[in-house]
Amino acid sequence: MQQILLSLAIALFAGLMLSRLAKLCQLPAVTAYLVAGILIGPYCLGAFGVEGIGFTSIENVKSFSIISDVALGFIAFAIGNEFRLAQLKSIGKQATVIGIFQAVFTTLLVDVALVALSFAMPDKFPLPAAIIMGAVASATAPAATLMVVRQYKAKGPVTDVLLPVVALDDAVGLVLFSVSFGIAKALIAGQVSILAILVEPLLEVVLSVALGAGVGFLFTFCERFFHSRSKRLAMSVAFVLLIVAISNFSFTIGGVHVAFSPLLSCMMLGTIFCNTCDFSEQLMDRLDRWTAPIFILFFVLSGAELELSVVTDLLVVLIGVVYIVVRCLGKYFGANISSGMVKAEPNIKKYLGITLFPQAGVALGMAMKAGALGGAVGMLVANLTLFSVLIYELVGPFLTKIALTKAGEIDFAGKISQRQKEALQK
């Protein structure tokens, strides 16, 4: 118990202290948290083998997975709160078209590039791995994006479209991955399963949305019995934890694998809550303060979990570089083309694609599922995803900040700290 608490305290302290250095370098705090995780992870401080001072192994980091699960639940809940009907009436069509088009466009572009690479080196890069990586490319990291938006209090057309697009992106990515994963399994096994390719992915999306909606209406009903802000805050925490717990269950009925997506369920919970509760904005402000330490720990743990050993494999680095470059092109031009289709503002067309570069938790979850295939395909997909996440997580938040700054949605001149505000009031 003492070692667990000491590890968490050091992780939180390291993230906070490094964020001060990042501020001097004009880097997002998210990047600082990830670097702090690497420094106290198994490849740096943890390599000395001192329990409690650093994370001594990847397994040691994964033992804190409950913190990551809870953090992702609250992140998805916060993104769901951006789906307010009043706002969706003006940007709903744009976000839907852009979200679906750029995800599918990216998958197709990466598929073409990696399948061509697979034909060039069939012994080293199997076709099923290329198809799976195309679907993994569709996913975007909602956590890193949301943290950058919140840290710099970004406001404007690009930000308004960005958060709904990120949320929709993961729903589309889930379907694309399930279909691609089914095709890859069929190529390996030599037989096609329509159940695995079409039915199960659509069922997962529908059930996740239904779960989030059902619990959301229950949440709205229950909060009416409480009037104090602290108890309503406790109620919101309880329901997010409930959704995270339920959505981690999976079972099989009549040969059909039934599973839920925690991200989609929590997003739907947040969407129902913000549209049925008249004080949701005030409660979200309080929830943001309560979850701040959890988010810091989440990113520090994510940094510690990055598998740095993958950079020693030249094949992974070569294919990984191709994957990263082509995925970035897919995200940028996919967002650019679809923004033009819906006649979005010039800044959305120009900068939105750059904000979609970060990739982390959702992609890693897909890679873990692909790892169940075993053999060369599972190992290659896992290593390629780990390598790309390492690059995206360190560079992505910084690029998101630059894009939002260029779009004029981050006001550095008007941004002062709470301490500065207090000093001005004296």
Side-chain angles (χ1 to χ4, degrees), residues 132 177 181 364-375 377-379 381-382:
I132 293 174
F177 174 77
F181 186 61
L364 289 173
M366 293 177 176
M368 287 175 60
K369 187 172 181 179
L373 289 173
V377 173
M379 180 68 71
V381 169

Side-chain angles (χ1 to χ4, degrees), residues 32 56 91 120 127 132 144 163 173 214 244 256 269 284 293 347 380:
T56 56
I91 65 167
L127 183 59
I132 293 174
L163 294 178
V244 172
V256 178
L269 174 68
M284 282 305 301
N347 276 348
L380 196 52

Side-chain angles (χ1 to χ4, degrees), residues 231-256:
K231 288 182 179 178
R232 281 172 166 171
L233 174 62
M235 178 69 71
S236 62
V237 172
F239 272 90
V240 172
L241 294 179
L242 176 65
I243 282 280
V244 172
I246 295 175
S247 57
N248 274 291
F249 283 107
S250 63
F251 47 89
T252 302
I253 300 178
V256 178

Side-chain angles (χ1 to χ4, degrees), residues 3-196:
Q3 291 178 351
I4 292 174
L5 294 176
L6 184 59
S7 295
L8 292 177
I10 289 175
L12 194 56
F13 180 77
L16 287 169
M17 295 307 294
L18 213 61
S19 69
R20 304 311 300 167
L21 180 60
K23 187 175 182 179
L24 296 175
C25 301
Q26 297 186 336
L27 292 172
V30 174
T31 303
Y33 303 148
L34 291 165
V35 173
I38 292 174
L39 293 177
I40 64 173
Y43 292 96
C44 293
L45 188 59
F48 292 100
V50 181
E51 292 287 345
I53 302 299
F55 298 105
T56 56
S57 65
I58 296 296
E59 289 70 27
N60 184 206
V61 181
K62 289 181 178 179
S63 66
F64 294 93
S65 61
I66 187 172
I67 294 176
S68 298
D69 292 341
V70 170
L72 281 173
F74 281 109
I75 288 166
F77 180 68
I79 291 177
N81 266 271
E82 300 298 325
F83 283 86
R84 299 181 186 276
L85 289 178
Q87 186 181 19
L88 288 178
K89 287 179 181 179
S90 60
I91 65 167
K93 180 182 177 181
Q94 289 185 353
T96 301
V97 172
I98 294 171
I100 295 175
F101 184 89
Q102 58 82 27
V104 175
F105 183 83
T106 302
T107 293
L108 292 176
L109 194 64
V110 173
D111 269 338
V112 169
L114 295 189
V115 167
L117 199 60
S118 174
F119 282 119
M121 48 175 73
D123 296 333
K124 296 182 178 180
F125 189 36
L127 183 59
I131 293 173
I132 293 174
M133 287 306 299
V136 171
S138 65
T140 303
T145 303
L146 181 65
M147 287 294 283
V148 172
V149 168
R150 285 188 172 176
Q151 179 186 351
Y152 296 106
K153 295 180 173 59
K155 290 182 180 179
V158 179
T159 305
D160 290 340
V161 173
L162 171 60
L163 294 178
V165 165
V166 168
L168 187 61
D169 182 87
D170 288 324
V172 176
L174 181 66
V175 175
L176 290 173
F177 174 77
S178 298
V179 172
S180 298
F181 186 61
I183 294 173
K185 286 198 296 184
L187 289 173
I188 294 173
Q191 57 183 15
V192 179
S193 172
I194 301 299
L195 194 67

Side-chain angles (χ1 to χ4, degrees), residues 331-332 335 350-358 396 399-400 402-403:
K331 288 292 180 183
Y332 181 80
K350 190 174 181 180
Y351 297 111
L352 180 64
I354 299 173
T355 66
L356 300 175
F357 288 174
L399 294 177
T400 299
I402 291 176

